[in-house]
């Protein structure tokens, strides 16, 4: 702290000057003994744990009528003397003992700070400031006589360090500390615990747009009914949390049912439609609860606020509404290099957004769960999402075990791994789609790179698409996913879905009716204008279906185009490589269908109202135990510039038109093609 010499100008050499200097020197020594550092600010040493008033406010002497310096008396003097002051609080417990009398000064109730001040304890394990004993018969959330500190220093600086602040209570705002000004407030190396607020900011409420910074601190066991059980950032205020632990903030700590009431730990409470800002770095946010329909047990970014999270761990946070770890309203969220584990919510087990934008980079989501949509993440309404270089592992929900997209904004998923996520079918919800990711969007979804591996769902073990939006999947691997019904790897129910340079390997559909071990183009859940699906430059191999279509089951309401793709080693009851019963056309161009097997239609079975075309395609080495080793037709088929060879079946090793007693049921056109050397069942059966 800066010091300035105290000067008194008198005539040189006068006796009055000498006497004055002596008096001034004596005064300085006396003031320093009582706690006055210099004219720039006080440096006060508290020496009593009692709660008592200063005897003569403004004389720069921290002294009660008992001749001691209490914390309240020290703040009274610091308020009265202009300048940045410091109060040193030694080890001990300093409890409020003077009840509030509905006024806003320091003489009763909370400790009001009206000038720049530093309050420094001897360490959070040694110096305790608490709210005292609550009135007799008070409800369980009333922790003490009053809140503990209220900051009223517009444009000033106030800091608290090296102390524990506990058992404060405010009927409305800020159980431990309320920044009721535009001051810059710093809390460092401190513990705030057991505080409660009837409205917002169980521990800290940044009420009118100031700046609050929390570092190297612990905020645990605090409660607020409406917003921010640990910290509430209101209006256009700014909040920074660094190297801190925010844990166990919940209604249960004050004896209330945490499923019925209580806000999450940190909140951007956008009162007056202001745009507050929160930055959280290198921190741990865990075991917080939001009840009574409150969103975001860890952090709730309400309204249009800005939230930035870096190198932070979220674990075991629980919300009875949306967003176990983080909720975003219409604001923006950026998450980098962070971990989300074992968080849970109604929707969006770890992170839920009902609008705005969310960006997630280099982060891990594991073992999060949701009762409804999005085991790890939910995006809904008009929200837009970007997820880069991240991992979703062992998350679960009814739909979208890893990620559920219900929004209309642009969603970009790049180099993301979805592994062992689960979409569960419940008795009350006929869903269970998208083990890794489910999209029900009218917007655009772009998935690039990454992988979907060992995910499980009722439909769409790896990925499912519903809604009328546009989906592009490029360079992604779908392997060892499992669906109880259709789409072991991928389920396309509607929209325009384009799949380029993908690998669909070793996926399983257990359904005996509608399969698609690798891909199911189902297309009949929500018919969309311009519905279509395309597979290009891809590899679909070693997938299995208990029913139709080992590689691909096509029954969509729009066209399916398969181009420059290899479909090999797949197995099914019918249609080893491709099963087509859709009303729209199927075109297979410049592709290879080889080594697939089925009871009927080892390569292709086509039996829909839509026409099937094979062009510049090889159908080779496929096997059927009954009909159509290469191709089985009960509809309209054109084979052009193609080769059908070395396929096996009991009837129609190469091409079977009809099968069994229905020989001749379909219509087959062959032009500029080779149908030869199919060693069992003949090259052709039927017309």
């Amino acid at each position: 702290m800066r010091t300035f010499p105290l000067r008194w100008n008198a005539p040189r050499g006068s006796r009055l000057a000498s006497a004055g200097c002596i008096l001034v020197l004596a005064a300085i020594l006396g003031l320093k003994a009582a706690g006055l550092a210099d004219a720039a600010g006080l440096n006060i040493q508290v020496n009593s744990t009692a709660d008592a008033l200063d005897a003569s406010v403004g004389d720069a002497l921290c002294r009660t009528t008992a001749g001691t310096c209490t914390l309240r008396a020290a703040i009274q003097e610091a308020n009265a003397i202009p300048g940045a002051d410091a109060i040193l609080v030694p080890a001990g417990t300093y409890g409020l003992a003077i009840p509030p009398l509905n006024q806003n000064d320091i003489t009763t109730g909370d400790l009001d700070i009206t000038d720049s001040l530093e309050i420094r304890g001897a360490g959070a394990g040694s110096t305790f400031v608490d709210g005292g004993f609550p009135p007799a018969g008070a409800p369980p959330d009333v922790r003490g006589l009053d809140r503990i500190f209220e900051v009223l220093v517009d444009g000033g600086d106030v800091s608290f360090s090296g102390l524990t602040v506990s058992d404060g209570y405010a009927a409305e705002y800020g159980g431990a500390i309320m920044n009721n000004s535009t001051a810059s407030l710093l809390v460092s190396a401190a513990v705030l615990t057991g505080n409660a607020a009837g409205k917002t900011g169980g521990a800290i409420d940044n009420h009118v747009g100031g700046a609050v910074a929390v570092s190297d601190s612990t905020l645990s066991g605090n409660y607020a009914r409406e917003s921010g059980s640990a910290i509430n950032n209101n209006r256009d205020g700014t909040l920074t949390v660094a190297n801190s632990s925010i844990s166990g903030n919940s209604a249960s700590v004050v004896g209330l049912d945490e499923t019925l009431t209580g806000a999450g730990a940190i909140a951007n409470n956008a009162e007056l439609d202001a745009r507050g800002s929160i930055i959280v770095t290198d921190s741990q946010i865990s075991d917080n609860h939001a009840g009574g329909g409150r969103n975001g047990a860890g952090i709730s970014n309400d309204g249009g606020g800005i939230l930035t999270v870096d190198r932070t761990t979220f674990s075991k946070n629980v919300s009875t509404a949306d967003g176990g770890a983080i909720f975003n309203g219409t604001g923006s969220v950026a998450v980098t290099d962070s971990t989300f584990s074992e968080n849970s919510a109604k929707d969006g087990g770890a992170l839920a957004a009902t609008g705005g934008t969310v960006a997630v980079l280099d982060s891990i989501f594991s073992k999060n769960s949701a009762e409804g949509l999005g085991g790890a993440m939910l995006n809904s309404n008009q929200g837009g999402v970007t997820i880069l270089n991240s991992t979703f592992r062992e998350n679960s929900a009814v739909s979208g075990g890893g990620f559920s997209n219900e929004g209309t904004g642009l969603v970009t998923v790049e180099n993301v791994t979805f592994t062992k996520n689960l979409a569960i079918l419940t008795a009350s919800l006929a869903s269970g789609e998208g083990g890794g990711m489910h999209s029900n969007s009218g917007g655009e979804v772009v998935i690039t790179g990454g992988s979907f591996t060992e995910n499980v769902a009722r439909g769409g073990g790896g990925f499912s698409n519903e809604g009328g939006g546009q989906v592009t999947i490029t360079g992604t691997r779908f392997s060892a996913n499992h669906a109880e019904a259709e789409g072991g790897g991928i389920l396309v129910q509607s929209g325009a879905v384009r799949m380029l340079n993908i690998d669909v390997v070793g996926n399983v559909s257990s359904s005996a009716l509608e399969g698609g071990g690798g891909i199911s183009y189902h297309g009949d859940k929500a018919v969309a204008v311009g519905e279509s699906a395309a597979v290009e430059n891809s590899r679909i191999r070693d997938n299995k279906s208990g029913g139709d279509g080992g590689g691909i089951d096509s029954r969509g309401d729009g066209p399916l185009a398969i181009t420059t793709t290899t479909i090999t080693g797949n197995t099914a009851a019918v249609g080893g490589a491709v099963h087509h019963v859709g009303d729209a056309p199927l075109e297979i161009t410049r592709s290879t269908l080889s080594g697939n097997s089925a009871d009927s239609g080892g390569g292709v079975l086509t039996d829909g109202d839509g026409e099937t075309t094979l062009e510049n395609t090889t159908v080779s080495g496929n096997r059927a135990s009954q009909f159509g080793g290469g191709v089985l037709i009960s509809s309209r088929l054109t084979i052009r510039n193609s080769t059908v060879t070395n396929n096996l079946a009991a009837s129609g090793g190469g091409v079977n038109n009809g099968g069994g007693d229905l020989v001749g049921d379909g219509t087959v056109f062959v032009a500029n093609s080779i149908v030869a050397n199919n060693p069992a069942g003949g090259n052709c059966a039927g017309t």
Side-chain angles (χ1 to χ4, degrees):
M1 183 174 296
R2 293 179 299 168
T3 59
F4 299 90
L6 184 61
R7 295 179 178 175
W8 177 69
N9 296 318
R12 183 181 178 90
S14 70
R15 292 184 179 181
L16 179 59
S18 299
C21 288
I22 292 171
L23 290 173
V24 169
L25 179 59
I28 291 173
L29 293 174
L31 293 177
K32 284 193 173 183
L36 176 62
D38 50 63
L42 302 178
N43 192 359
I44 304 173
Q45 177 74 52
V46 173
N47 58 28
S48 171
T49 61
D51 186 11
L53 297 172
D54 190 65
S56 179
V57 177
D59 63 0
L61 300 176
C62 176
R63 189 183 324 180
T64 67
T65 55
T68 61
C69 180
T70 67
L71 178 57
R72 188 182 295 273
I75 295 175
Q76 285 182 284
E77 286 300 329
N79 289 342
I81 304 299
D85 307 311
I87 296 175
L88 309 179
V89 187
T93 299
Y94 302 79
L96 298 183
I98 304 176
L101 293 176
N102 297 319
Q103 46 68 56
N104 198 32
D105 65 40
I106 193 173
T107 58
T108 66
D110 60 353
L111 304 174
D112 299 306
I113 299 170
T114 60
D115 197 11
S116 292
L117 177 64
E118 176 188 3
I119 296 180
R120 188 165 64 245
S126 301
T127 301
F128 302 90
V129 182
D130 70 49
F133 295 99
D141 58 323
V142 177
R143 310 295 288 173
L145 284 176
D146 201 354
R147 87 166 53 86
I148 299 173
F149 297 105
E150 182 172 358
V151 177
L152 300 154
V153 192
D154 283 326
D157 299 291
V158 175
S159 67
F160 301 91
S161 64
L163 70 166
T164 291
V165 184
S166 65
D167 296 313
Y169 171 75
E172 294 186 324
Y173 313 111
I177 303 170
M178 178 184 181
N179 184 16
N180 200 12
S181 66
T182 60
S184 294
L185 172 64
L186 171 64
V187 177
S188 62
V191 173
L192 279 70
T193 184
N195 304 286
K199 289 188 176 180
T200 65
I204 301 172
D205 189 73
N206 188 28
H207 197 62
V208 294
V212 172
V214 177
S215 65
D216 304 296
S217 296
T218 297
L219 281 73
S220 65
N222 303 287
Y223 165 76
R225 189 174 297 273
E226 295 182 4
S227 182
S229 282
I231 310 172
N232 183 64
N233 184 46
N234 200 24
R235 301 189 189 180
D236 59 349
T238 61
L239 168 65
T240 302
V241 178
N243 299 301
S244 294
S245 173
I246 314 295
S247 66
N249 298 284
S250 165
S252 65
V253 301
V254 295
L256 301 178
D257 188 339
E258 64 189 14
T259 65
L260 300 178
T261 186
I266 300 173
N268 239 350
N269 184 14
E271 189 180 54
L272 305 179
D273 295 324
R275 190 173 172 86
S277 176
I278 296 178
I279 299 174
V280 180
T281 59
D282 300 297
S283 295
Q284 295 78 45
I285 300 177
S286 63
D287 295 288
N288 302 288
H289 289 255
R294 303 288 177 188
N295 298 310
I299 302 175
S300 183
N301 188 40
D302 300 323
I306 302 169
L307 171 63
T308 303
V309 177
D310 188 30
R311 300 185 304 275
T312 293
T313 298
F314 295 80
S315 64
K316 298 182 180 179
N317 301 286
V318 178
S319 171
T320 58
D322 298 340
I326 296 176
F327 170 79
N328 183 48
T330 59
S332 62
V333 173
V335 177
T336 307
D337 197 19
S338 295
T339 299
F340 298 78
S341 64
E342 298 183 71
N343 304 283
S344 62
K346 180 178 178 291
D347 294 313
L351 195 160
T354 58
T357 60
V358 174
V360 176
L361 289 76
D362 303 306
S363 295
I364 297 172
F365 294 80
S366 67
K367 298 183 179 179
N368 304 284
S369 62
E371 296 175 9
L373 305 175
M377 281 185 63
L378 167 69
N379 177 52
S380 64
N381 297 335
Q382 297 181 344
V385 170
T386 299
I387 308 173
L388 304 177
N389 305 318
S390 296
T391 298
F392 290 72
R393 182 175 59 241
E394 296 181 75
N395 305 286
S396 63
V398 170
S399 278
F403 173 35
S404 182
N405 174 42
E406 303 284 320
T408 58
L410 173 64
V411 172
T412 301
V413 178
E414 184 174 332
N415 295 327
V416 176
T417 299
F418 294 87
T419 303
K420 295 183 178 180
N421 301 286
L422 176 64
I424 307 167
L425 176 66
T426 66
S428 59
L429 294 172
S431 188
E433 295 167 349
M437 175 179 170
H438 175 68
S439 183
N440 181 16
S441 167
E444 182 179 2
V445 176
V446 179
I447 301 173
T448 306
S451 64
F452 291 75
T453 306
E454 296 182 77
N455 303 286
V456 177
R458 186 197 67 84
F463 170 81
S464 66
N465 185 68
E466 177 186 356
Q470 178 178 325
V471 178
T472 304
I473 306 174
T474 306
T476 305
R477 181 179 178 87
F478 296 82
S479 65
N481 301 288
H482 180 260
E484 296 177 7
E486 62 273 13
I490 300 171
L491 170 61
V492 178
Q493 297 186 94
S494 59
V497 180
R498 188 181 182 195
M499 295 161 271
L500 302 89
N501 192 30
I502 66 171
D503 288 280
V504 183
V505 182
N507 303 283
V508 176
S509 165
S510 298
S511 174
L513 299 175
E514 300 173 357
I519 300 172
S520 173
Y521 179 35
H522 204 268
D524 60 357
K525 185 167 184 177
V527 176
V529 176
E531 177 182 297
S532 63
V535 182
E536 305 171 35
N537 302 312
S538 297
R539 295 145 297 280
I540 301 171
R541 60 182 175 85
D542 300 329
N543 303 285
K544 296 180 180 180
S545 171
D548 305 333
I552 300 175
D553 180 37
S554 170
R555 56 184 72 230
D557 295 302
L560 170 62
I562 301 171
T563 308
T564 55
T565 291
T566 300
I567 306 176
T568 181
N570 304 282
T571 60
V574 292
V578 180
H579 175 259
H580 177 60
V581 293
D583 296 332
L586 167 65
E587 296 182 356
I588 303 176
T589 307
R590 298 191 301 279
S591 297
T592 298
L593 283 63
S594 66
N596 304 285
S597 62
D599 292 339
S600 294
V604 178
L605 184 148
T606 176
D607 188 21
D609 294 334
E611 182 175 357
T612 297
T613 302
L614 301 180
E615 186 166 358
N616 294 310
T617 291
T618 297
V619 181
S620 172
N622 303 286
R623 181 188 298 267
S625 60
Q626 297 186 54
F627 312 113
V631 183
L632 174 62
I633 307 103
S634 292
S635 60
R636 182 181 176 91
L637 170 68
T638 298
I639 302 175
R640 185 181 296 113
N641 302 320
S642 297
T643 299
V644 181
T645 186
N646 291 321
N647 303 285
L648 304 174
S651 174
V655 178
N656 186 311
N657 180 10
D661 296 333
L662 299 176
V663 171
D665 181 60
T667 303
V668 183
F669 297 89
V670 181
N672 298 320
S673 298
I674 298 172
V675 181
N677 297 325
N678 296 284
N683 291 316
C684 298
T687 57

